[in-house]
Amino acid sequence: MTRPVDVAEGVRRRRMHRQFTDEPVPRELLDRMVWAASRAQQTRSGIRNIVVVDDPRLMATARQVLPGFVNNAPAMLVHCTDLVAAEKLAGRACVEVTTRLDAGAACAHLALMAQTLGLGTCTVTSWSDATARALFDLPEHIRPDVTVAVGFVPPSPPRAARGFTTAVHHNRFGEEWVNA
């Protein structure tokens, strides 16, 4: 049973984790993570694919061949797009832009769901498509969009990165937004 989480608190506490415990993530929790990703926006049904990876050997290989996958997570979810279905159902712009926005939304859902389940995540996008396709046996028409490392976070995780800022404008670029 998951405990309720205040969304604003979840957003405030959300962060990328690169260190995890060795404890495997139970299948039931991975099911909940898949459910959360599936609830995110998507252009049309039949475009999104998710590969759940929890085989320790495959995870070790991922760390060796996916340059951005620098963590010790025991599991990951690989969000993929069916390029043929996307173009057929919604056109070329869907393939190039919308499906990537949908993948980002799925990652946000995953990060928030992870907190309700006592898990941490790390979103990774650094790899070559050919390498990811080979690693996960993806057919040529299935594009890997993002991998999300999933695992339990140590009791005293490293401090979160600080100093990230966002420029906020009011009505026009360059016009300062002043907080109320």
Side-chain angles (χ1 to χ4, degrees), residues 2 46-48 107 167:
T2 60
I47 294 174
R48 174 178 287 151
C107 289

Side-chain angles (χ1 to χ4, degrees), residues 50-63:
I50 298 172
V51 179
V52 180
V53 181
D54 62 358
D55 179 310
R57 292 172 300 177
L58 193 53
M59 292 297 295
T61 302
R63 283 190 259 304

Side-chain angles (χ1 to χ4, degrees), residues 46-175:
I47 294 174
R48 174 178 287 151
N49 289 266
I50 298 172
V51 179
V52 180
V53 181
D54 62 358
D55 179 310
R57 292 172 300 177
L58 193 53
M59 292 297 295
T61 302
R63 283 190 259 304
Q64 294 172 352
V65 301
L66 304 177
F69 206 77
V70 289
N71 62 70
N72 66 331
M76 79 169 100
L77 278 72
V78 184
H79 185 285
C80 304
T81 295
D82 183 325
L83 301 174
V84 172
E87 187 161 6
K88 181 180 175 185
L89 294 170
R92 193 76 202 143
C94 175
V95 171
E96 297 304 323
V97 178
T98 310
T99 57
R100 294 186 191 276
L101 295 172
D102 292 352
C107 289
H109 277 62
L110 288 171
L112 291 174
M113 178 56 81
Q115 289 186 38
T116 70
L117 301 174
L119 298 168
T121 61
C122 183
T123 304
V124 181
T125 59
S126 176
W127 63 68
S128 78
D129 283 3
T131 301
R133 278 191 175 100
L135 181 63
F136 305 117
D137 293 327
L138 302 175
E140 193 61 32
H141 70 284
I142 301 294
R143 180 187 66 212
D145 294 315
V146 64
T147 61
V148 179
V150 179
F152 291 99
V153 179
S156 299
R159 289 178 41 92
R162 302 266 185 237
F164 292 99
T165 61
T166 300
V168 181
H169 309 270
H170 188 208
N171 294 323
R172 292 176 182 79
F173 190 87
E175 295 291 324

